[in-house]
Amino acid sequence: MNIPRSNNPRVVIIGGGFGGISLAQKLRKQEVQVVLLDKNNYHTFQPLLYQVSTGGLEPDSIAYPLRKVLIGYDNFFFRLAEVTEILPDKQLLKTTIGEISYDYLVVATGSETNFFGNTELEQHAMAMKSIPQSLNLRSLILENFEQALLTDEYHERDALMNFVIVGGGPTGVELAGALAEIKKGILPKDYPDLDTRRAQINLVQGGDRLLDAMSEKASEKAEKFLEDLGVQVWKNVRVTGYDGKTVRTKTDLVFETATLIWAAGVKGATIKGLDAKELIAGGNRLSVNEFNQVIGFPNIFAIGDIACMQSEEAPRGHPMMAQPAIQQGRKLGENLVRLINGKSLEPFIYKDKGSMATVGRNKAVCDLKNIRFQGVFAWFVWMFVHLFFLIGFRNRVVVFVNWVYNYIRFDREARLIIRPFKRNYDQFRD
Ligand SMILES: Cc1cc2nc3c(=O)[nH]c(=O)nc-3n(C[C@H](O)[C@H](O)[C@H](O)COP(=O)(O)OP(=O)(O)OC[C@H]3O[C@@H](n4cnc5c(N)ncnc54)[C@H](O)[C@@H]3O)c2cc1C
């Protein structure tokens, strides 16, 4: 990899997500050599992926070059590489560009879409965990309407304009709201020769309420907002399969659709060599102690979505959200310095700042530490928080300008099929 060995200990971080970046920033002025490896050369701001999928934002505005994060620091190296195996006995990593040794390893690989072993769903459903996947979804949504224009077959046209989103967490709720706004504000103008009133947005939730990690009030309000926007919310419905045409559920309910979007769960993105059964806690996450140390490996740490730190307050680990990843990255930065200087480690304590979700224009729900609110003010708070945590000044400006423009014009100009998603429509018709 052409990375010189220095006199300082080498900390290798796998993954430049929220956790990896926060850690790297914490280590920038310390006497360590930091090597950051990521399979992408950019950081993805995942909370806004749904806006890329629905043409509200260009993909570049939610991505940030990883090399720029620590520009100008001599002890920092970035390599574009996917780590394929960890060899803890040799303190060595195998990657797509060669091998690298480490003194301290930090696994910050995040999570991947969880289809719960259903290969049929995995093959036919659309996931939204990365920018390429969001672009695929954006193309597919638009291609479906182009196809709908071409067919006289009534059922086929309806299925092309029927969107089924599985998962009533923030991602499902936000996506459903955005699609409903497109139906209302954009489709009638873009497709005057298509009866777009027949387009349907179905949100399917396995449990008995949406946003089940938030307060009951937030759930109720989000559902009300969605229904006002014309979204059909199905609760207590479990999807069992999708063959590219028909969504089957545990009940009699079926949906005929060309688009099933899977937002029903994620699981830790483990790497071969550090994936033995005894290391894994719920959600395929690595079991870590209160210092984020992988149990049984004193010089290997895990942070963010991939880490499961079980405690009395968090029996199933911390939520797989940006805040735990950021806070764990920062704390681990301090702890690594302590470790290298022979000091004892300090436990990680999570400061829960609350959670929020937006349903659309002027509609959001916020559960903050001591206060809960919904509606227009919540929507402004949601926007402010997302702009604040978005990485890069340019990105903040671009996103802000886009939002103001979209708000004033009721528009989403990035509705472009730049990289077509190659769906086999013949197979769909058969
Ligand atoms: C659609 C969506 C919406 C979300 N909305 C919110 C929200 O509103 N609020 C919130 O708090 N959280 C939200 N989240 C969750 C949040 O994005 C994650 O909790 C957070 O990104 C976790 O940070 P992380 O550092 O653990 O991992 P990530 O940010 O996922 O970063 C992991 C990094 O590791 C890299 N990587 C993975 N495997 C390898 C490998 N083998 N080799 C090299 N590199 C690798 C990846 O390329 C990636 O850059 C959302 C997630 C999604 C998918």
Side-chain angles (χ1 to χ4, degrees), residues 8 58 69 88 188 283-284 354 404 410:
N8 296 328
E58 291 86 5
V69 173
N284 201 43
V404 173
F410 285 84

mmCIF file of all heavy atoms in Angstrom, residues 8 58 69 88 188 283-284 354 404 410:
data_model
loop_
_atom_site.group_PDB
_atom_site.id
_atom_site.type_symbol
_atom_site.label_atom_id
_atom_site.label_comp_id
_atom_site.label_asym_id
_atom_site.label_seq_id
_atom_site.Cartn_x
_atom_site.Cartn_y
_atom_site.Cartn_z
ATOM 1 N N ASN A 8 5.547 6.077 15.300
ATOM 2 C CA ASN A 8 4.279 6.134 16.045
ATOM 3 C C ASN A 8 3.463 4.878 15.792
ATOM 4 O O ASN A 8 3.549 4.285 14.717
ATOM 5 C CB ASN A 8 3.467 7.348 15.594
ATOM 6 C CG ASN A 8 4.168 8.644 15.931
ATOM 7 O OD1 ASN A 8 4.873 8.723 16.938
ATOM 8 N ND2 ASN A 8 4.008 9.647 15.086
ATOM 9 N N GLU A 58 -29.092 16.499 -5.503
ATOM 10 C CA GLU A 58 -28.120 15.799 -6.342
ATOM 11 C C GLU A 58 -27.261 14.938 -5.417
ATOM 12 O O GLU A 58 -26.994 15.331 -4.275
ATOM 13 C CB GLU A 58 -27.203 16.791 -7.071
ATOM 14 C CG GLU A 58 -27.872 17.622 -8.135
ATOM 15 C CD GLU A 58 -28.523 18.879 -7.592
ATOM 16 O OE1 GLU A 58 -28.360 19.134 -6.374
ATOM 17 O OE2 GLU A 58 -29.190 19.576 -8.357
ATOM 18 N N VAL A 69 -11.087 15.170 4.458
ATOM 19 C CA VAL A 69 -11.423 15.244 5.885
ATOM 20 C C VAL A 69 -10.204 15.638 6.712
ATOM 21 O O VAL A 69 -10.293 16.433 7.637
ATOM 22 C CB VAL A 69 -11.982 13.882 6.378
ATOM 23 C CG1 VAL A 69 -12.160 13.890 7.886
ATOM 24 C CG2 VAL A 69 -13.306 13.580 5.700
ATOM 25 N N PRO A 88 -6.546 -11.398 13.056
ATOM 26 C CA PRO A 88 -6.162 -10.832 14.356
ATOM 27 C C PRO A 88 -4.848 -11.422 14.891
ATOM 28 O O PRO A 88 -4.062 -10.688 15.502
ATOM 29 C CB PRO A 88 -7.326 -11.201 15.270
ATOM 30 C CG PRO A 88 -8.466 -11.485 14.363
ATOM 31 C CD PRO A 88 -7.879 -12.028 13.110
ATOM 32 N N PRO A 188 -48.554 15.433 -12.018
ATOM 33 C CA PRO A 188 -49.578 15.966 -12.923
ATOM 34 C C PRO A 188 -48.989 16.917 -13.970
ATOM 35 O O PRO A 188 -49.475 16.983 -15.098
ATOM 36 C CB PRO A 188 -50.528 16.723 -11.987
ATOM 37 C CG PRO A 188 -50.267 16.174 -10.631
ATOM 38 C CD PRO A 188 -48.829 15.759 -10.611
ATOM 39 N N GLY A 283 -28.464 -8.472 15.778
ATOM 40 C CA GLY A 283 -28.332 -7.590 14.612
ATOM 41 C C GLY A 283 -27.015 -7.760 13.887
ATOM 42 O O GLY A 283 -26.583 -6.857 13.171
ATOM 43 N N ASN A 284 -26.372 -8.917 14.079
ATOM 44 C CA ASN A 284 -25.084 -9.201 13.422
ATOM 45 C C ASN A 284 -24.015 -8.155 13.761
ATOM 46 O O ASN A 284 -23.179 -7.793 12.937
ATOM 47 C CB ASN A 284 -25.271 -9.281 11.898
ATOM 48 C CG ASN A 284 -24.160 -10.047 11.214
ATOM 49 O OD1 ASN A 284 -23.733 -11.103 11.703
ATOM 50 N ND2 ASN A 284 -23.663 -9.527 10.108
ATOM 51 N N GLY A 354 -32.001 12.568 21.305
ATOM 52 C CA GLY A 354 -33.363 12.435 20.786
ATOM 53 C C GLY A 354 -33.375 12.004 19.339
ATOM 54 O O GLY A 354 -32.327 11.736 18.748
ATOM 55 N N VAL A 404 -34.531 25.603 -0.280
ATOM 56 C CA VAL A 404 -35.278 26.860 -0.424
ATOM 57 C C VAL A 404 -35.960 26.882 -1.788
ATOM 58 O O VAL A 404 -37.155 27.179 -1.920
ATOM 59 C CB VAL A 404 -34.333 28.080 -0.257
ATOM 60 C CG1 VAL A 404 -35.064 29.371 -0.583
ATOM 61 C CG2 VAL A 404 -33.789 28.137 1.171
ATOM 62 N N PHE A 410 -42.146 24.404 -5.263
ATOM 63 C CA PHE A 410 -42.814 23.091 -5.168
ATOM 64 C C PHE A 410 -42.185 22.129 -6.170
ATOM 65 O O PHE A 410 -42.878 21.451 -6.914
ATOM 66 C CB PHE A 410 -44.325 23.210 -5.456
ATOM 67 C CG PHE A 410 -45.114 23.818 -4.343
ATOM 68 C CD1 PHE A 410 -45.202 25.195 -4.209
ATOM 69 C CD2 PHE A 410 -45.756 23.026 -3.413
ATOM 70 C CE1 PHE A 410 -45.935 25.770 -3.179
ATOM 71 C CE2 PHE A 410 -46.490 23.584 -2.373
ATOM 72 C CZ PHE A 410 -46.573 24.974 -2.267
#
